[in-house]
Amino acid sequence: MRWSRSFTVVGCHAAGEVGNVITGGVRDVPGRTMFEKMEYLQANCDDIRKLVLFEPRGAPYVNANLLLPPCDPAAQIGYVILESTEYPPMSGSNTICVATVVLETGIVPMQEPLTVLTMEAPGGLIECRCTCRDGKVEQVEFTNRPAFVHDLDRDIEVEGLGTVQVDTSYGGMTYAHVNAHALGFAVTPDEARDMCLTGQKIKAAVNEQLATVHPENSKIFGVSNVIFEGPLTRTAEGVEGRSGTVVLHGRLDRSPCGTGTSGRLAVMHAKGQIGVGERFRHVSIADTVFIGQVQSTTTVAGRDAVIPTIAGQAWITSMGQYGLDPTDPYPEGHIISDVWF
């Protein structure tokens, strides 16, 4: 077997969403911050992302995370998130996968029953509280970066749909929020393809008609994902809601979406639908669950924001190597529009 390059990859998913972790094959890349390292990878090493995510090694539903030495001395591990169309500053499901992999494989020593782990994402430091037993991470609860609203109750014109009311938020990625039932969706698995097609239309219209630029980092702009939100209900334990999130090139997130949950918490808090400390049980289209909470409030460049916590679980599915034969005709993988639409 002759490989010109290889990567050690630990397969993992959080609440059904794949977030594989690249633990070997890249020692480090230039950058004074993890955001700068992300930019370097995007500009100079995007072949790594394509190799591990595109066919024949990857698939439309695969994400990956590249472990790198942290830049901030407060962090024990650094990571850059690789997704099918972009490098997001933050991802909740991927963060849960990374924390699980580094602890269960021994990259960072596990302490039972609780390991407190500080990781550095491109979006900033993320503190994780990992509940552990018998060598297994049973839950990762992380404190996300501040989440805030860009727009509330804005009307946009969408081709084929007419006027659609949207909220937009930042929760680590930028989201458009729409009422699923108003658009004819019950958020069930059989609706996934139609939701994706509708979501892509809405995303294009929002990005044409609304400006969503992070007030502290102008390089973070534009809506990436569209959340189809079901109604909220109050229970004895707090608030519960269901959603389906159309992500990236147009597919459904299998998990409740961690940064999407953060964005939804920001919108809910702004609308008076949830208070500080209340529990939000967020259910995905695949019936998996994240637990969210507004830990506290803050401001970002003068606008109201929330500090969210998100809790969920991940499972390791495989361990192995990805390799590239020097004669392989797809050194950066390939995509075909039958599934990559």
Side-chain angles (χ1 to χ4, degrees):
M1 185 171 62
R2 50 176 193 173
W3 281 350
S4 56
R5 64 191 317 183
S6 65
F7 303 96
T8 303
V9 180
V10 179
C12 192
H13 79 88
E17 180 74 356
V18 176
N20 297 336
V21 181
I22 303 170
T23 60
V26 181
R27 302 182 75 175
D28 200 2
V29 297
R32 294 167 298 175
T33 66
M34 203 56 58
F35 194 90
E36 288 186 1
K37 290 187 178 187
M38 178 194 76
E39 290 184 305
Y40 182 89
L41 286 163
Q42 186 171 17
N44 301 281
C45 308
D46 197 41
D47 55 318
I48 296 173
R49 180 185 66 88
K50 293 176 179 177
L51 181 74
V52 299
L53 297 187
F54 291 173
E55 297 179 54
R57 297 165 189 83
Y61 53 83
V62 174
N63 308 301
N65 302 274
L66 178 59
L67 298 188
L68 294 172
C71 301
D72 192 313
Q76 293 142 288
I77 200 78
Y79 63 111
V80 172
I81 304 145
L82 315 178
E83 297 194 347
S84 60
T85 60
E86 61 184 279
Y87 294 75
M90 176 55 186
S91 166
S93 61
N94 281 291
T95 294
I96 293 170
C97 286
V98 171
T100 299
V101 166
V102 299
L103 292 179
E104 292 191 11
T105 62
I107 294 172
V108 175
M110 179 187 292
Q111 302 294 326
E112 298 184 11
L114 180 69
T115 304
V116 178
L117 178 66
T118 301
M119 308 198 303
E120 186 178 4
L125 291 179
I126 306 295
E127 183 180 285
C128 302
R129 291 162 299 283
C130 306
T131 304
C132 308
R133 184 174 62 176
D134 298 331
K136 171 64 188 164
V137 178
E138 296 185 325
Q139 178 179 274
V140 176
E141 181 187 68
F142 67 88
T143 302
N144 201 2
R145 307 301 299 174
F148 54 86
V149 170
H150 281 293
D151 297 283
L152 290 178
D153 301 323
R154 293 291 298 270
D155 288 338
I156 61 166
E157 299 303 315
V158 183
E159 183 180 357
L161 298 176
T163 303
V164 175
Q165 191 172 82
V166 305
D167 306 313
T168 57
S169 72
Y170 177 80
M173 299 176 74
T174 305
Y175 291 85
H177 306 249
V178 297
N179 185 315
H181 289 190
L183 292 165
F185 294 107
V187 194
T188 54
D190 59 296
E191 299 173 330
R193 183 173 177 83
D194 288 340
M195 288 177 67
C196 288
L197 295 172
T198 302
Q200 290 299 80
K201 288 182 179 180
I202 293 170
K203 180 169 78 170
V206 171
N207 283 329
E208 287 174 359
Q209 297 170 44
L210 298 179
T212 52
V213 182
H214 195 290
E216 294 182 338
N217 187 342
S218 62
K219 295 179 180 179
I220 302 174
F221 63 90
V223 164
S224 295
N225 308 316
V226 177
I227 305 179
F228 288 78
E229 298 178 343
L232 297 173
T233 57
R234 284 207 162 266
T235 70
E237 296 182 334
V239 183
E240 181 169 326
R242 185 178 182 87
S243 72
T245 303
V246 178
V247 297
L248 307 167
H249 59 275
R251 68 166 182 85
L252 262 293
D253 194 323
R254 273 58 175 162
S255 80
C257 190
T259 54
T261 302
S262 299
R264 191 169 186 185
L265 284 168
V267 170
M268 290 166 62
H269 187 264
K271 292 185 173 184
Q273 296 168 334
I274 196 168
V276 174
E278 283 194 282
R279 183 178 185 269
F280 176 43
R281 186 175 185 269
H282 200 188
V283 184
S284 77
I285 196 169
D287 290 326
T288 56
V289 176
F290 284 163
I291 302 299
Q293 191 175 69
V294 176
Q295 186 182 70
S296 61
T297 59
T298 186
T299 59
V300 175
R303 67 179 67 183
D304 292 338
V306 301
I307 304 293
T309 62
I310 309 295
Q313 187 174 7
W315 292 264
I316 291 176
T317 58
S318 64
M319 299 182 72
Q321 287 189 305
Y322 288 7
L324 176 63
D325 186 289
T327 64
D328 191 324
Y330 300 113
E332 297 185 3
H334 67 86
I335 57 176
I336 297 176
S337 63
D338 58 341
V339 293
W340 298 86
F341 63 92

